[in-house]
Amino acid sequence: SLAGFDEARRVYRRALVRVLQAKAHYQLDGYVSDHYVCANLEAQLLGALVLYETDARRVLAMHRRRAAVLQPVLDAINPKAYHAIGRQMAFDLGTIYGDILDVRQLMLRDQPAERARAKLQPAVDATTRALYRFLDFFRDAQGEMPERVDAENEEVFLTAHFNIARAHGKLDDRESLAASLRAYEFIRAYADKHDVVCMRDELKMAREMAEL
C-alpha cells in the first residue's frame, strides 16, 4: 500500500505517462476500442488517486477531470456501432457526476438552501443526464424499453434508477422530489413484478421512499 498522497501521486504520474503515450497512438478516429481503453485507464488512475486526497476542492477538480476524459469519447462514438462501450461509459459518467454531486453537497452544507440548490442543480442534471443516457442503451430498435432486462444487466439497470432517484432527492423543490419519487416507484414496481432478489438494501430503501 502507498504511504500517502505524495507517493500515490508519483505512482499516478508514472502510470499516466504510459497511458497518454498509448492514447496518443490509438487515436479515436480509427482505433475506437483501444482509445476507449486508454481513456478509461486514465479516468481510473484519477479515481485511484482521489482516494488519497483530503481537500474537497481538489477532490472536486479530480472528479471533473475524470469526467472530462470520458465525456468527449462518449459524445464522439456511434452508439449503435459501439453499443457496449457507450453503455459502459454512460454508466461510469453517471457515477462520476454522482461523485461530483456528493462533494458539492458537502461543500455547500452551510450555505442557504436556495443558494445551495442553485449550485447543486448542474451536478444533478449532469448525473441524471448520463444515467438516462445509459438507460437508453436498453431500448430496442423501436425505442421501447424491454419489460424486463436480461439477468446479467438487471442489477446495474436498477442501480441507475436508484442513483437517478438519489440525485433528484438532493434538491428540495417539488419537481425534483417528484422525479425522485417516480424513480423509486419504478424500482419498487419493477422489483415486485419480477421478483428481483438482488440489491436487497437498495430495494428496501426504494420501497420505503415510495411509500412516503
Side-chain angles (χ1 to χ4, degrees), residues 36 39-48 50 59-72 74 88-104 122-131 159 163 166-167:
Y36 158 69
N40 192 46
L41 282 172
E42 185 180 354
Q44 287 180 347
L45 285 173
L46 277 164
V50 78
V59 168
L60 182 62
M62 292 164 73
H63 284 316
R64 285 173 170 167
R65 175 58 185 161
R66 293 170 67 203
V69 169
L70 294 179
Q71 189 71 62
L74 177 60
Q88 184 64 55
M89 274 196 295
F91 184 82
D92 290 344
L93 279 164
T95 302
I96 292 168
Y97 288 128
D99 290 338
I100 291 172
L101 176 58
D102 288 342
V103 177
R104 290 292 285 159
V124 171
D125 292 343
T127 302
T128 56
R129 184 166 53 246
L131 292 171
T159 296
N163 289 342
R166 182 175 175 273

Side-chain angles (χ1 to χ4, degrees), residues 4-129:
F5 180 81
D6 289 341
E7 185 178 353
R9 182 169 54 185
R10 286 195 293 271
V11 174
Y12 161 78
R13 286 174 173 172
R14 289 199 298 269
L16 182 63
V17 169
R18 300 297 181 88
V19 171
L20 292 180
Q21 287 174 342
K23 187 178 175 183
H25 176 76
Y26 294 110
Q27 294 289 320
L28 185 59
D29 184 12
Y31 297 97
V32 173
S33 297
D34 293 316
H35 187 86
Y36 158 69
V37 170
C38 295
N40 192 46
L41 282 172
E42 185 180 354
Q44 287 180 347
L45 285 173
L46 277 164
L49 180 62
V50 78
L51 298 175
Y52 293 88
E53 181 55 77
T54 57
D55 181 80
R57 293 188 180 279
R58 291 173 66 178
V59 168
L60 182 62
M62 292 164 73
H63 284 316
R64 285 173 170 167
R65 175 58 185 161
R66 293 170 67 203
V69 169
L70 294 179
Q71 189 71 62
V73 181
L74 177 60
D75 292 340
I77 66 172
N78 183 330
K80 292 182 179 180
Y82 298 97
H83 186 273
I85 288 175
R87 185 165 69 179
Q88 184 64 55
M89 274 196 295
F91 184 82
D92 290 344
L93 279 164
T95 302
I96 292 168
Y97 288 128
D99 290 338
I100 291 172
L101 176 58
D102 288 342
V103 177
R104 290 292 285 159
Q105 184 182 39
L106 180 64
M107 294 172 67
L108 294 166
R109 64 186 183 279
D110 297 325
Q111 295 288 324
E114 187 173 346
R115 177 179 174 83
R117 187 187 311 120
K119 287 185 172 292
L120 285 175
Q121 186 72 64
V124 171
D125 292 343
T127 302
T128 56
R129 184 166 53 246

Side-chain angles (χ1 to χ4, degrees), residues 197-209:
V197 296
C198 64
M199 300 173 60
R200 293 184 183 275
D201 291 341
E202 290 84 354
L203 292 179
K204 179 182 177 182
M205 179 178 177
R207 290 190 175 95
E208 290 173 350
M209 295 300 291

